Amino acid sequence: MLSYEVGDIAVSKAGHDKGSKYIIMEVSKDFVYLADGRLKKTDKPKKKNIKHIQILHINDNSVKEKVLSGITNEEIKYFLKTFGGNNV
């Protein structure tokens, strides 16, 4: 079974946002809460079933630490753009 962690980058596999990249803000049993800094902001992240996302294995502990301590929407957009994210 895959482990989902706060700060990981996820790609949507299903839904109207298919192909969009997000950062995981929170993890619960069957769902993750995602933010892209543009449409889904940190104050109201998108709730998505874990079956409908794929994790990109990019190890960057600074992002995980930043999410846990408080990340801004601009920082999320910059990070996703740096790793070939959404057209922001």
Side-chain angles (χ1 to χ4, degrees):
M1 180 165 182
L2 293 173
S3 68
Y4 301 93
E5 296 181 14
V6 171
D8 285 343
I9 298 178
V11 179
S12 174
K13 296 191 308 185
H16 70 279
D17 62 341
K18 183 177 181 179
S20 297
K21 294 182 182 167
Y22 298 97
I23 291 182
I24 297 177
M25 303 299 291
E26 185 180 336
V27 180
S28 66
K29 183 178 178 189
D30 293 327
F31 295 95
V32 291
Y33 294 86
L34 308 167
D36 67 356
R38 191 170 56 102
L39 297 174
K40 293 299 177 181
K41 308 239 178 178
T42 57
D43 58 341
K44 189 165 183 183
K46 178 177 186 65
K47 181 180 179 182
K48 192 110 173 144
N49 192 316
I50 60 172
K51 296 177 188 176
H52 299 156
I53 63 167
Q54 178 180 359
I55 298 295
L56 296 181
H57 297 286
I58 299 172
N59 295 327
D60 193 344
N61 290 331
S62 64
V63 174
K64 292 180 184 185
E65 292 171 7
K66 192 74 170 161
V67 170
L68 293 173
S69 66
I71 191 167
T72 66
N73 292 313
E74 289 76 25
E75 290 170 328
I76 290 175
K77 289 189 285 189
Y78 175 78
F79 182 74
L80 290 174
K81 188 174 182 179
T82 302
F83 288 100
N86 303 336
N87 296 328
V88 188

